[in-house]
Amino acid sequence: MATDNASALQTRVTASKEEIMRSYILQDFPSPHPPFAFNILMPKDWLWFEKEGRPTAPNGKPQLLIAYGDRGDTSLVEILALKTERPVVPADWLHEWLKANDYEILANRIIPAATERNADVKARKMVKGRPVLFRIRTFQKDDYIYILHCFSDAETYPQVEQHFLVAAETFELTGNTKGTP
């Protein structure tokens, strides 16, 4: 594990409620597939991207639900969902997925949850020849794992890490996962 500042795992939102109310907006993401519905606070000046459209049913892989990015195109928050076929511990699944996809885990913690253990990971990966830092958080409800996959160029990461933490702290499912096909 790396020991430089890039490996520090910030775990608390330092912005005040007033700063958050002034600088963020609640983004509602309705979905025709109820388990894919959520809302989240994002910076007011970030853009909403629908890179792959809105999925209407699980396909057995992590599916991109939505992405939000800064105007400089250096930082992005992606929300993905995965319907599992069998019981899975999100923290274990994420660590294996990161290893299989060539991420270097810099720091991580386990977040106890009502159903399983969720992961909060800071990782690094070279993307198109540049170092990129990632902050990845898992959530689980019933047989779905939700992934906040946040990343930024290494040099701008310190300026956007709070945005990633606010997104993780405010992510809320709004649809029903029970009884879905």
Side-chain angles (χ1 to χ4, degrees):
M1 207 178 272
T3 57
D4 56 87
N5 279 343
S7 66
L9 187 66
Q10 186 175 352
T11 60
R12 293 185 180 254
V13 172
T14 59
S16 69
K17 287 188 183 217
E18 293 78 24
E19 290 171 311
I20 291 171
M21 295 306 294
R22 186 174 50 251
S23 303
Y24 291 81
I25 188 168
L26 184 66
Q27 296 286 329
D28 184 39
F29 183 76
S31 175
H33 184 62
F36 291 167
F38 65 90
N39 60 41
I40 192 168
L41 281 177
M42 293 303 303
K44 285 183 178 178
D45 61 343
W46 281 33
L47 305 172
W48 176 345
F49 302 102
E50 288 187 40
K51 290 184 170 184
E52 298 173 9
R54 292 186 180 192
T56 57
N59 68 5
K61 301 181 284 190
Q63 292 173 266
L64 180 63
L65 302 180
I66 203 75
Y68 300 92
D70 69 351
R71 294 184 182 274
D73 200 27
T74 59
S75 305
L76 200 67
V77 172
E78 297 176 322
I79 294 95
L80 300 102
L82 169 67
K83 185 174 191 299
T84 61
E85 298 298 319
R86 58 183 170 71
V88 174
V89 175
D92 296 343
W93 174 86
L94 181 65
H95 285 102
E96 292 304 314
W97 183 82
L98 291 171
K99 288 179 199 173
N101 287 285
D102 300 319
Y103 289 80
E104 174 191 0
I105 297 174
L106 301 174
N108 69 85
R109 67 182 175 135
I110 301 298
I111 301 171
T115 54
E116 287 294 345
R117 297 181 333 260
N118 284 305
D120 183 13
V121 174
K122 188 172 188 180
R124 177 174 31 217
K125 184 175 181 177
M126 294 300 286
V127 178
K128 297 181 182 176
R130 359 180 282 255
V132 175
L133 292 178
F134 295 81
R135 187 66 181 260
I136 306 161
R137 176 91 59 100
T138 62
F139 301 88
Q140 184 175 31
K141 180 151 185 192
D142 300 325
D143 52 355
Y144 286 84
I145 295 175
Y146 302 89
I147 307 138
L148 261 66
H149 185 255
C150 310
F151 55 95
S152 184
D153 289 339
E155 71 180 43
T156 58
Y157 183 89
Q159 289 82 40
V160 296
E161 187 171 32
Q162 275 295 299
H163 298 321
F164 298 162
L165 291 172
V166 168
E169 292 299 318
T170 62
F171 176 76
E172 178 182 34
L173 295 168
T174 57
N176 180 16
T177 58
K178 292 278 189 191
T180 57

